[in-house]
């Protein structure tokens, strides 16, 4: 459903975004637009992926950061800039500052993934680890700004930031002039606000739809209330769009111009990331895969041609490993089972023979012999299997039950 309500004024205009595009010439690359045959078949219309995961620093964030810092007065540049981020914004600010010859300090949470911390340092920022949650990190950065006079670079709540992100919308219209629907992941709202401003000014018939993780969806209640509303967020793999309150500046634009904001589950996010990796050969972080998750969740509800913005590809390899396993389970291609065997020689081999007949690939086997719930002659076996889909999972369960095993999950 749509939550749009009229707004009396518009805080950003197309000329701002066109000016940002000129400023970014030779700095941000025009990322490719790749067709997806699999998603096109699901939707019943052409689907294209806007690959901002291939942007410099691995996300769209460079665009807004560069425009914001480039617009500072000389005395502001001399004071340096400061930002707080767990990843993409940190890297965008670091590289933009280096390109512009501005000193940057970036506060990151203590538990930030090491590859993101290392990349931010390599782009030239003075990285300071502070706090265990982003709110603590943000407070430290703002205190640093007050104490030193450094300019705080907000990740989404500033006109220049949104103008820079809006250049993605201009590129989409140039690369796919026949587009009818654009899907964009939404955290604070800077990217979708910029894209909507550019697209609606030139093609008001194109639908712009935001996508949030169900566990961190502040926009739907805010749009219903007509003002930014803070919500309690739950853990989500899509940490790049985990924002508890919309920004004031992007909210006004989203409320006026964005046609709908949808939410997607964790299962849909992991399945989308797996699809991007396998079918599109794209390494995408969960937040960046959120538009694909929306397509997988309700493909029949989108009018094509569709462009889904893959907003970032900075995912920690260890996190990626866990998410892929989750995605395989959600797709019915990874199955975990527990069952009890008689603790005697050959019992495990017999059970594995049943799995061999139904062509289930055993990835891991664990034994428990000391649980008080077990009988003296029993052993509990935990199995991790690679399967071929939901129907194959049911076939595996049925084969084990038919062989006399009690299957637990």
């Amino acid at each position: 459903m749509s939550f749009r309500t009229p707004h009396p004024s518009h805080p950003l205009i197309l000329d701002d975004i066109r000016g940002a595009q000129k400023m970014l010439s030779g700095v941000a690359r025009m990322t490719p637009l790749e067709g997806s045959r699999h998603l096109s078949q699901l939707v019943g219309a052409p689907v294209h992926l806007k690959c901002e995961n291939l942007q410099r620093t691995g996300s769209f964030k460079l665009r807004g950061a560069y425009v914001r810092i480039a617009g500072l007065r000389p005395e502001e540049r001399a004071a340096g800039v400061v930002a707080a981020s767990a990843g993409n914004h940190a890297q965008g600010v670091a590289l933009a500052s280096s390109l512009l010859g501005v000193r940057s300090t970036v506060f990151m949470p203590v538990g930030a993934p090491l590859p993101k911390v290392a990349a931010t340092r390599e782009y030239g920022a003075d990285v300071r680890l502070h706090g265990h949650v982003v709110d603590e990190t943000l407070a430290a950065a703002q205190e640093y700004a007050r104490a030193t006079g450094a300019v705080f670079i907000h990740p989404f709540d500033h006109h220049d930031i949104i103008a820079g992100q809006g250049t993605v919308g201009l590129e989409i219209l140039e690369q796919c002039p026949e587009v009818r629907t654009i899907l964009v992941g939404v955290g604070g709202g800077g990217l979708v606000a910029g894209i909507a401003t550019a697209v609606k000014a030139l093609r008001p018939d194109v639908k712009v739809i935001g996508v949030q993780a169900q566990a961190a969806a502040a926009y739907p209640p805010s749009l219903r209330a007509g003002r930014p509303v803070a919500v309690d967020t739950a853990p989500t793999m899509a940490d790049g769009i985990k924002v508890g309150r919309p920004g004031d500046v992007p909210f006004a634009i989203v409320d006026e111009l964005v046609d709908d904001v949808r939410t997607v589950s964790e299962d849909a996010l992991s399945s989308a990331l797996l699809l991007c990796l396998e079918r599109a050969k794209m390494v995408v972080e969960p937040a960046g895969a959120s538009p694909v998750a929306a397509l997988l969740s309700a493909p029949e509800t989108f009018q094509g041609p569709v462009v889904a913005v893959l907003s970032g590809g900075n995912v920690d390899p260890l996190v990626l490993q866990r998410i892929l396993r989750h995605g395989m389970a959600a797709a019915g291609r990874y199955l975990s089972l527990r069952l009890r065997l008689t603790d005697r020689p050959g019992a495990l081999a017999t059970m594995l023979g049943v799995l061999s007949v139904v062509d289930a690939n055993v990835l891991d086997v664990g034994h428990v012999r000391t649980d008080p719930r077990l009988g003296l002659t029993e052993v509990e076996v935990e199995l991790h299997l690679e399967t071929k889909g939901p129907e194959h999972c049911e076939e595996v369960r049925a084969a084990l039950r038919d062989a006399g095993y009690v299957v637990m999950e």
Side-chain angles (χ1 to χ4, degrees):
M1 63 181 293
S2 175
F3 301 103
R4 288 180 60 194
T5 55
H7 259 270
S9 63
H10 198 298
L12 189 73
I13 61 174
L14 179 62
D15 284 348
D16 296 327
I17 299 174
R18 283 179 166 154
Q21 188 175 46
K22 292 179 181 178
M23 191 179 296
L24 289 167
S25 177
V27 175
R29 62 175 302 204
M30 178 184 281
T31 51
L33 198 71
E34 299 288 346
S36 170
R37 181 179 299 178
H38 180 73
L39 290 173
S40 298
Q41 290 174 341
L42 284 179
V43 173
V47 174
H48 306 279
L49 305 175
K50 176 60 172 169
C51 303
E52 281 295 291
N53 59 310
L54 301 180
Q55 184 57 261
R56 296 178 70 179
T57 75
S59 88
F60 69 96
K61 289 288 189 177
L62 172 65
R63 297 173 183 263
Y66 188 91
V67 173
R68 172 75 172 102
I69 297 169
L72 296 178
R73 299 188 303 273
E75 61 271 22
E76 290 176 319
R77 290 195 186 197
V81 299
V82 61
S85 169
N88 289 344
H89 181 58
Q91 294 174 65
V93 168
L95 179 57
S97 299
S98 295
L99 293 172
L100 291 164
V102 176
R103 184 178 68 258
S104 65
T105 302
V106 176
F107 285 78
M108 303 182 75
V110 172
L114 293 179
K116 293 184 179 182
V117 174
T120 304
R121 284 197 173 111
E122 288 172 6
Y123 287 131
D126 174 15
V127 175
R128 304 191 181 191
L129 302 179
H130 185 94
H132 294 279
V133 296
V134 174
D135 286 345
E136 296 173 353
T137 308
L138 179 63
Q142 291 172 327
E143 175 57 34
Y144 178 89
R146 286 190 291 269
T148 66
V151 179
F152 179 69
I153 306 299
H154 199 284
F156 50 81
D157 205 12
H158 194 279
H159 290 77
D160 290 347
I161 293 285
I162 298 170
Q165 321 305 27
T167 59
V168 176
L170 294 181
E171 291 181 13
I172 290 172
L173 293 182
E174 179 180 344
Q175 294 169 306
C176 185
E178 68 277 15
V179 63
R180 299 302 302 274
T181 304
I182 299 174
L183 297 176
V184 189
V186 179
L191 178 61
V192 72
I195 289 175
T197 300
V199 170
K200 293 293 187 177
L202 296 169
R203 286 281 307 282
D205 60 302
V206 174
K207 289 188 178 298
V208 179
I209 298 175
V211 184
Q212 293 204 288
Q214 288 176 357
Y219 262 94
S222 297
L223 291 166
R224 284 191 291 266
R227 57 181 174 80
V229 173
V231 299
D232 293 328
T233 59
T236 174
M237 66 181 71
D239 57 345
I241 52 174
K242 183 181 178 182
V243 176
R245 182 187 182 279
D248 292 332
V249 179
F251 176 80
I253 300 172
V254 171
D255 195 20
E256 180 181 356
L257 298 179
V258 172
D259 296 277
D260 195 6
V261 176
R262 302 191 184 189
T263 61
V264 291
S265 68
E266 297 298 293
D267 281 353
L269 285 166
S270 58
S271 296
L273 188 146
L274 182 62
L275 184 145
C276 287
L277 187 63
E278 288 190 326
R279 297 299 185 96
K281 314 308 178 190
M282 290 286 174
V283 176
V284 182
E285 61 192 271
S290 57
V292 176
L295 288 171
L296 293 178
S297 300
E300 72 286 351
T301 64
F302 299 103
Q303 184 178 16
V306 177
V307 172
V309 180
L310 305 182
S311 57
N314 292 316
V315 57
D316 180 46
L318 295 177
V319 174
L320 179 62
Q321 184 179 35
R322 294 197 297 269
I323 293 172
L324 289 178
R325 179 167 289 190
H326 186 277
M328 290 180 69
R333 294 170 49 197
Y334 183 87
L335 181 63
S336 295
L337 299 171
R338 289 181 297 115
L339 44 87
R340 292 181 182 180
L341 307 179
T342 301
D343 194 9
R344 58 176 176 79
L348 180 61
T350 300
M351 183 269 295
L352 293 176
V354 174
L355 296 174
S356 176
V357 170
V358 292
D359 201 24
N361 186 33
V362 179
L363 300 176
D364 192 24
V365 179
H367 295 77
V368 176
R369 287 187 167 85
T370 56
D371 194 307
R373 296 172 299 177
L374 295 173
L376 290 176
T377 61
E378 287 184 319
V379 59
E380 187 172 282
V381 175
E382 182 176 358
L383 296 170
H384 299 286
L385 309 173
E386 184 181 5
T387 47
K388 301 173 184 177
E391 293 182 358
H392 190 213
C393 289
E394 289 305 314
E395 183 184 352
V396 170
R397 293 187 186 98
L400 289 169
R401 293 190 184 104
D402 291 345
Y405 297 104
V406 177
V407 179
M408 300 167 285
E409 298 191 44

